[in-house]
Amino acid sequence: MSVTEQPCYTLISTPDSDYPPPDQLRKELEIGDIKAKIDALKKAIYIILNGEKIPGILMAVVKFVLPLQDHNVKKLLLIFWEIIPKTSADGKLLHEMILVCDAYRRDLQHPNEFIRGSTLRFLCKLKEPEILEPLMPSIRSCLEHRHSYVRRNAVLAIYTIYRNFDFLIPDGPELIANFLEREQDMSCKRNAFMMLIHADQDRALSYLTSCIDQVHSFGDILQLVIVELIYKVCHANPSERSRFIRCIYSLLNATSPAVRYEAAGTLVTLSSAPSAIKAAASCYIEIILKESDNNVKLIVLDRLIALKEQPNQERVLQELVMDILRVLATPDLEVRKKTLSLILDLVSSRNIEDIVLVLKKEVTKTHNTTEHEDTGKYRQLLVRTLHSCCIKFPDISATVIPVLTEFLSDTNELAAADVLVFVREAIQKFEGLRPLIIEKLLEAFFSIKSVKVHRAAIWILGEYATSTDDIRSVMSKIRQSLGEIPMVDDEIRKAAGDQPDGESSATQGNVVVSNPTAPNARLVTADGTYATQSIFSTAVTTAKKEERPPLRKYLMEGDFFIGASMATTLTKLALRFVQQISSTQIQNQFCAEAMLVITAILHLGRSGLPQKPISNDDAARLGLCLKVLSERSPILVEVFTDACRRSISLMLAAKAEEEAAAQKNLEKNNRSVQADDLVSFKQLLSRNELGGLEDVFESSLSQALVGSAQRTGLDLSVSKLNKVTQLTGFSDPVYAEAYVNVNQYDIVLDVLIVNQTADTLQNCTLELATLGDLKLVEKPSAIILAPHDFANIKASVKVASTENGIIFGNIVYDVTGSTSDRNVVVLNDIHIDIMDYIMPASCTDAEFRQMWADFEWENKVTVNTNINDLNLYLQHLLKSTNMKCLTPEKALAGDCGFMAANLYARSVFGEDALANLSLEKPFGKSDAPVTGHIRIRAKSQGMALSLGDKINTIQKASVKHVVA
């Protein structure tokens, strides 16, 4: 297999400019001054990095640039020697490199420590032992240099050379162990200790044992390496845990947060004792509180959440829940959201009162602080958390409800709506709290500022006010909120009363506009001078001072849906009042009062005074309520008084059942042990069996390099084959195929290139370009392919947003001995699937409606499929688009020929995708396909279009494929 790329570790941004011909470059290197030689050397580096060759450049640099002592030249030469080919076509070292090797040796003995250190770092990148062998004495001597920068890089050079070519320095571990004993600089000790960990672990353990009591005084870079060594040793040999666990405990109090974080993670993996878990969790909490970076806070919170997954560790965390609550002082909303979610999982009967007390204080703080964009969202999170706590532990509801009802007057409608959702569930489930809730709702009734909140509050009061006193109180509040009845006459009187006699005025809403040309009234001030005041300004001031009652204000604005809600509430109240009062006269008086209010609303809606007239639906509802109150049919009375209560009970029960099922699914994901499984004792396992345990350091490193593990449980080879894309045909001179590895924010293309000819392909280059919101990170380097040889080339592509992208390009190569132009093989396009970035997510109905109204991009997709079952089509759509159905299963149950559902997903870039399904199937035709529309909404155009294209592509699947 061919070498795919030259060993180059330096990335340089290449400017888009024209470069001089080779002869001019050699001339500038030969006769130019220092500045001209530096510019020429830079251009030569750019040209070589682009895969081009410069004949004769090597000797020109050796003759005219290498002897120079300028530091800038020295820096550029290190890059030049790194990227220049050092061997001939047959693999032998070039003769010119002997001169270069002598220059390396002189630089290793240079009096300037920077030149020595940078040369040592450069030697770490060399892969030719022939160059390194004569330099070994000079590298060894650098371990005795007075400056720590040189010694530090000398250790790194020895470590790299020993790892790659151990025959060049067979006594490397012993040399570094002796160096470690006498060294005082922490960076040098860290590099030396790191080499011993990987080269000779026994020597590293011996050194650590000799100084284990002084570990707390070491520098943080050395402490981090010590933690890694202890983990590796204890992972491979559990019997060593007792030897080093005290050292890990001491590092929990280190000054560096990075050391404390790693020590806490290591302690958790080495010991499951409650004291160890508590110490590690306390350390995590301390890091969260002291670190200012929100990303660090989120990462450490994830570690706490991982601790909670184990039942024995969850009990320990429950004792620390008050410390975790201190994290809520962080202003970042994501940190607060994750913290509240963790607290909700840790709540128990022992700590519920303390948790609720702190949450109530946080609620009060948000009520008294300046309104900010995130303040309302945080308040909403607090309300939902308190809601969940009260449902789990009903005893604390009585203390929470008075605090939450204060938020009914909040300007943030979502927080107030969440409060009412909680109140609705609490008043249904806890009968003992109904008097308290009704009392608090009546107190807050006038302060409510939102029509939706007012409508929901009226419904709750109408449904659960059952005593005569409560019914009278609710009726009184509604009458006060409507103002004087009949409302039409009252509005006309007010409009007429605001007009001065003899003046024509125009009334519009509640603002009276007078004739500005009217004569001014003349007034005399206290000092005897005249003052004037226009009638125009007086009229406007009067109108501004006038404030309508809240419910009448909604009606005057044209919102008669709340009028229909009031009519339903008044009907329920009147029917229940009739059932409890035996006096016919009192019954008729109350019913007449309710009917008066309903007719006043109906009259106002048809009077033309409001901004919008009443709709036919609302008018029909008002008429129905009047008919029910006048006739009092037993069937309709039962519907209004009992059926509504049963419906809300069934809805809450279905919601609780759905949440319980979701929780059960989460618990199923936990690893379960069967009763007849073998019991494994770690103390009795052999070393080979222990080697099968997962190494956290290695697994995290592999995930960082190649991305997270596949979500599917398929074998790795099978999952890779699914993502292989053929780029050329089998008859092309160069065959190519690519494995597309999609990580969260980047795509790695592993391209296999096969030379199917009998010729050697020179400068074989993979040229790629992108379409969409993709960006090629680096240009793949050119390779040489022998006849019938193959090679792998990797290319990275950055992804910026959730859109369908296309990667296209070609393979360009030269044939040895050919005088023709370069040969080109055009590649097939690689289509990047949007589904790799979309994940299912959840949101409430209110949030869905809010986002649906806010998002401006909509894509309407017509259903065109051969699937003839509504539920089957929905499941196929969910599986293909990674979206989650927000509509409950019970709402989708049944066979009526129609289906409406809401879908939601979220991308890794934080973009939201909404979809609404409206499906139907012709009644009585079992073989007829599903028809309808899918409306997609997103904040960005690309997201909406890409998701629509995906749905159009997948919805033509056959029934057998869907079932499979």
Side-chain angles (χ1 to χ4, degrees), residues 173-187:
E174 182 181 357
L175 179 67
I176 295 301
N178 295 331
F179 169 80
L180 186 59
E181 293 290 344
R182 64 177 185 270
E183 182 58 47
Q184 298 299 320
D185 183 75
M186 283 300 163
S187 60

Side-chain angles (χ1 to χ4, degrees), residues 399-414:
T399 60
V400 173
I401 288 172
V403 178
L404 293 185
T405 50
E406 296 178 5
F407 283 94
L408 294 177
S409 61
D410 196 82
T411 53
N412 182 9
E413 186 178 291
L414 293 177

Side-chain angles (χ1 to χ4, degrees), residues 484-551:
E484 188 177 344
I485 292 179
M487 289 181 282
V488 174
D489 297 341
D490 186 50
E491 287 294 323
I492 293 174
R493 266 198 313 273
K494 287 182 179 178
D498 285 342
Q499 297 176 5
D501 294 336
E503 299 297 336
S504 63
S505 63
T507 304
Q508 187 175 10
N510 61 343
V511 179
V512 181
V513 182
S514 300
N515 185 2
T517 60
N520 295 335
R522 181 167 296 183
L523 303 174
V524 180
T525 59
D527 58 357
T529 59
Y530 288 106
T532 59
Q533 186 176 19
S534 68
I535 299 174
F536 175 80
S537 61
T538 305
V540 173
T541 305
T542 305
K544 284 185 177 179
K545 287 182 180 179
E546 180 189 354
E547 185 68 29
R548 288 194 178 95
L551 295 183

Side-chain angles (χ1 to χ4, degrees), residues 588-602:
N588 292 336
Q589 284 179 353
F590 193 89
C591 290
E593 185 178 5
M595 295 173 76
L596 174 64
V597 174
I598 296 172
T599 52
I601 297 172
L602 189 59

Side-chain angles (χ1 to χ4, degrees), residues 62-311:
V62 170
K63 283 183 180 180
F64 305 109
V65 182
L66 194 59
L68 300 177
Q69 296 300 313
D70 184 79
H71 283 197
N72 289 328
V73 173
K74 293 282 187 186
K75 290 181 188 177
L76 291 173
L77 280 176
L78 292 178
I79 300 174
F80 179 79
W81 298 131
E82 181 184 340
I83 64 174
I84 197 76
K86 303 171 186 64
T87 56
S88 58
D90 56 0
K92 293 184 179 180
L93 194 69
L94 295 174
H95 297 296
E96 294 89 342
M97 295 310 296
I98 298 175
L99 301 173
V100 177
C101 186
D102 186 59
Y104 292 158
R105 186 182 55 77
R106 289 197 301 271
D107 285 344
L108 289 174
Q109 298 171 353
H110 200 281
N112 185 283
E113 61 271 8
F114 170 76
I115 292 178
R116 278 203 191 197
S118 56
T119 305
L120 286 165
R121 289 185 68 85
F122 161 71
L123 294 179
C124 295
K125 305 173 184 178
L126 291 182
K127 299 297 182 183
E128 293 80 18
E130 300 90 344
I131 300 177
L132 293 171
E133 187 174 8
L135 302 176
M136 293 312 300
S138 301
I139 295 174
R140 284 172 174 266
S141 65
C142 287
L143 290 174
E144 308 294 334
H145 195 272
R146 59 180 176 79
H147 203 283
S148 61
Y149 177 71
V150 178
R151 299 196 303 274
R152 178 167 71 242
N153 287 295
V155 174
L156 277 180
I158 291 173
Y159 171 39
T160 308
I161 294 169
Y162 180 80
R163 185 179 60 190
N164 296 328
F165 317 105
D166 56 349
F167 59 87
L168 292 179
I169 182 167
D171 61 338
E174 182 181 357
L175 179 67
I176 295 301
N178 295 331
F179 169 80
L180 186 59
E181 293 290 344
R182 64 177 185 270
E183 182 58 47
Q184 298 299 320
D185 183 75
M186 283 300 163
S187 60
C188 298
K189 293 178 77 170
R190 180 257 180 196
N191 289 356
F193 192 74
M194 184 180 67
M195 175 184 170
L196 291 181
I197 289 176
H198 298 281
D200 193 343
Q201 200 172 91
D202 292 336
R203 290 182 187 273
L205 281 175
S206 176
Y207 173 75
L208 178 58
T209 306
S210 65
C211 62
I212 197 166
D213 294 329
Q214 288 84 37
V215 169
H216 66 276
S217 62
F218 291 167
D220 55 348
I221 55 174
L222 181 56
Q223 288 175 339
L224 285 172
V225 183
I226 288 173
V227 170
E228 181 180 352
L229 172 65
I230 292 175
Y231 176 81
K232 287 181 177 294
V233 171
C234 296
H235 180 77
N237 188 5
S239 61
E240 296 283 349
R241 293 179 181 180
S242 58
R243 180 180 171 190
F244 295 109
I245 202 162
R246 187 164 59 88
C247 177
I248 294 294
Y249 266 107
S250 66
L251 289 177
L252 291 178
N253 300 318
T255 55
S256 169
V259 175
R260 297 203 305 274
Y261 174 78
E262 293 294 343
T266 302
L267 182 60
V268 168
T269 57
L270 298 184
S271 175
S272 58
S275 58
I277 302 300
K278 187 172 183 179
S282 300
C283 182
Y284 282 145
I285 295 169
E286 198 68 22
I287 293 173
I288 296 173
L289 294 173
K290 290 187 176 180
E291 279 297 311
S292 58
D293 191 343
N294 291 326
N295 293 318
V296 174
K297 293 177 185 288
L298 291 171
I299 291 171
V300 183
L301 273 171
D302 286 334
R303 298 302 294 266
L304 283 174
I305 293 171
L307 284 180
K308 180 219 19 138
E309 300 300 328
Q310 300 296 329

Side-chain angles (χ1 to χ4, degrees), residues 930-941:
V930 173
T931 59
H933 293 89
I934 303 171
R935 296 169 64 196
I936 304 164
R937 286 202 181 182
K939 200 168 188 178
S940 62
Q941 182 185 20

Side-chain angles (χ1 to χ4, degrees), residues 111 134 193 245 338 413 441 498 671 743 830 845 927:
F193 192 74
I245 202 162
K338 192 165 283 192
E413 186 178 291
L441 280 179
D498 285 342
R671 185 179 176 183
N743 297 326
I830 300 175
D845 291 342
D927 296 333

